[in-house]
Amino acid sequence: MNGTELMADGGPDPVAAYPHARRVGNFLFISGLGPHKRGERELPATFADEVHGVFYNLKVILEAAGLGLENVVDVTGFLTDLETDFATYNAIYAEYLGQIRPARTTIQVSALPRGIHVEIKVLAVCPAD
Ligand SMILES: O=C(O)C/C=C/C(=O)C(=O)O
C-alpha cells in the first residue's frame, strides 16, 4: 500500500473501511470527517454544533499525527444545504482556519452518510522529517 495509515485514538468511528488519514511523503490526506465524536450515535443538536464537531475531529486526527490546524493546506467542505447553512459554516470555519487561510472549496451535495449536514476533507502538510 502507498504511504502509512493513521488511526487516531479518540478519532471518530469510521463509517466504512478506511483509516482516519494516510500519510504519503510529507502529505497527510485526511478522510472525510463528519460531526460524530468517537462513540456518539446522535447528531449534534444544531448545524453549528455539527461544524464544531467536525473541527473537533479534525484536531484529534491532526494531533495524532503531531500536527495542528496550522498545517492544513486545503479543505473541501460538503454541505447539504448551502442556502441555510453556508453563513454559519463560514463563521465557524473562520474561528478555526481564518488566520491560516488554507485553499478551500465548498460544495452542496444531496446527502451525506448518517444524515449529517456537513463533512470536510482535508490535506495537511507535515514538516520535513
Ligand atoms: O459520518 C462521518 O463521520 C463521515 C463519513 C464519511 C464517509 O463515510 C465517507 O466520506 O465515505
Side-chain angles (χ1 to χ4, degrees):
M1 273 184 242
N2 293 313
T4 306
E5 135 171 5
L6 173 84
M7 290 298 292
D9 289 344
D13 301 307
V15 177
Y18 57 85
H20 288 140
R22 180 164 286 279
R23 181 174 171 172
V24 183
N26 287 340
F27 292 107
L28 186 71
F29 296 87
I30 299 177
S31 297
L33 294 173
H36 292 94
K37 295 176 185 162
R38 168 70 57 97
E40 270 184 358
R41 294 288 171 268
E42 301 294 318
L43 261 187
T46 66
F47 180 78
D49 292 338
E50 285 194 50
V51 181
H52 284 295
V54 164
F55 279 100
Y56 172 89
N57 285 328
L58 174 59
K59 289 206 287 187
V60 166
I61 292 167
L62 288 169
E63 282 166 19
L67 303 177
L69 290 172
E70 68 278 7
N71 298 107
V72 171
V73 295
D74 190 37
V75 179
T76 305
F78 305 90
L79 275 63
T80 56
D81 189 342
L82 281 172
E83 188 173 347
T84 304
D85 296 328
F86 192 47
T88 303
Y89 176 72
N90 286 337
I92 297 170
Y93 180 98
E95 290 177 28
Y96 292 93
L97 292 171
Q99 301 298 313
I100 297 160
R101 300 177 63 77
R104 192 187 99 153
T105 306
T106 308
I107 58 173
Q108 178 167 309
V109 293
S110 60
L112 289 165
R114 299 199 276 182
I116 63 178
H117 302 97
V118 55
E119 177 175 337
I120 62 171
K121 173 171 173 44
V122 171
L123 177 62
V125 173
C126 309
D129 292 324

